[in-house]
Amino acid sequence: MATISAELMAKLATIRTSLTTTGATAVRLRGVDWFAWATCGGSNVVILSTETGIAEVLVTADGAWILTDEIEAGRLAAEEIPPGFEVWAGPWNDLAQRQSYVASVVGSGAVLSDRPGPGEQPLPAAMVAAKRRLLPEELDRYRALGRDAAEAMTEVLQAARPDWTEWQLAGAGAEALWRRGIEPTLTLVGGEQRVPIFRHATATRVPLGARAMLVFCGRRHGLYANLTRFVYFRQPTAQERQLIDDVANVEAATFAASTPGTTAGAVYDAIVQAYAELGHPGAEAFHHQGGTTGYLSREAFALPGLDLTIEDATALAWNPSLPGAKIEDTVVTSAAGIEILTLDPAWPTVQVAGRPRPDVLVR
């Protein structure tokens, strides 16, 4: 019999602790994020944009199953599911059979779920918090993902040309991610005309012109690498350089506030204060400022008063922005400070508050 990994044993223990504390009989995990977490990086995704995939996880005090249909069972067992789960497959055109199977396992007991159906209950807060605390195996996967995503970004922006359309740059970014086994869940592009106007610049047929922003949210093993970079085909103006420096200094204040034990609401307050001190009061109103990441591009956005504790080994992606300027990387907290995951040594950097931070690439 194949050995169950320490990571899966820890996650099953977390789930079963929730059963004990709530008195429930089973946990059903349907979301793409929770499936990847529970299966130690497995995927139930076919359509990239789906929130719930083609399989779910069912766990009781003494059993763990992957519930899917007969189309997907063989592939999932061979490629996505670690040892420790039993696979149940039903007809794709008779979902009632899956529900009947769950009822036979659960009986009259309560069921917890990340996306509760009729008669089911939400997951307890302690289990949700446990998903944010990355285990050593998850951190290893995340570091590799961050390096690969950052290298893909560098590769694409070193090749970009001002006569490319935004579509072309987005497509090149998606290709570079796919070649590294990373799902391009988001490739935002804003060229010279649009980047000073739109913070979420979805790509269009407009040529890039003299500068461009490229944003990646890339997913592998369920984890998200989020990063933003700029390419300039000329030198930045003095005004542009000031905005670039200002967002980097807002981010520095954000990192300083992102210590284990603080709340997302307190970090938001630090962001607001930093914008004001740098001469941009109220700038936080024009774009979300980021928040916790991991198995979603943003697990939770930082909001005023949000009482979500940032713990050790929490993944974060902050993204301060001003018109035509933005900074973003995926980082992980620790008692020793912030670890930046999405760094490529080939990308130009500047020192900000003692850290190497991405500069614009001037070509």
Side-chain angles (χ1 to χ4, degrees), residues 95-334:
L95 293 179
Q97 286 199 31
R98 184 188 300 187
Q99 195 60 33
S100 296
Y101 180 76
V102 172
S104 72
V105 171
V106 174
S108 60
V111 175
L112 309 175
S113 179
D114 61 315
R115 287 162 172 80
E120 298 175 346
Q121 303 169 21
L123 299 176
M127 185 171 165
V128 175
K131 176 164 163 275
R132 290 195 295 268
R133 294 190 293 271
L134 296 167
L135 299 174
E137 298 89 344
E138 292 172 302
L139 276 170
D140 287 343
R141 292 195 291 270
Y142 223 153
R143 291 180 179 117
L145 166 62
R147 288 192 301 270
D148 285 352
E151 288 174 3
M153 179 72 79
T154 301
E155 173 188 301
V156 171
L157 290 181
Q158 285 178 338
R161 295 171 35 167
D163 60 344
W164 280 12
T165 67
E166 293 174 349
W167 284 344
Q168 284 177 280
L169 182 55
E175 180 186 5
L177 290 172
W178 271 123
R179 276 193 278 105
R180 293 164 172 83
I182 303 171
E183 296 169 344
T185 63
L186 177 74
T187 52
L188 289 180
V189 176
E192 173 78 6
Q193 295 180 31
R194 300 175 65 246
V195 74
I197 304 169
F198 304 116
R199 307 296 171 95
H200 278 163
T202 55
T204 71
R205 69 174 72 231
V206 174
L208 298 179
R211 60 174 171 157
M213 174 186 73
L214 179 59
V215 181
F216 282 169
C217 294
R219 181 175 63 197
R220 189 170 68 192
H221 303 305
L223 295 165
Y224 277 82
N226 312 284
L227 65 157
T228 297
R229 300 289 187 267
F230 283 77
V231 62
Y232 274 66
F233 302 104
R234 57 168 171 78
Q235 289 295 325
T237 67
Q239 181 182 23
E240 289 165 350
R241 175 54 68 183
Q242 186 63 60
L243 293 171
I244 292 165
D245 293 346
D246 285 353
V247 294
N249 283 304
V250 173
E251 183 197 56
T254 309
F255 284 164
S258 300
T259 56
T262 194
T263 66
V267 178
Y268 181 89
D269 292 342
I271 293 170
V272 171
Q273 181 178 346
Y275 277 126
E277 290 176 351
L278 288 160
H280 308 283
E284 69 281 353
F286 296 96
H287 190 212
H288 72 75
Q289 302 303 304
T292 59
T293 184
Y295 288 96
L296 291 171
S297 177
R298 296 297 188 278
E299 298 262 357
F301 290 106
L303 295 169
L306 180 61
D307 189 23
L308 184 156
T309 301
I310 295 173
E311 301 181 62
D312 190 27
T314 298
L316 303 169
W318 304 114
N319 49 253
S321 66
L322 291 165
K326 179 172 175 256
I327 192 166
E328 179 186 22
D329 272 301
T330 301
V331 307
V332 174
T333 61
S334 75

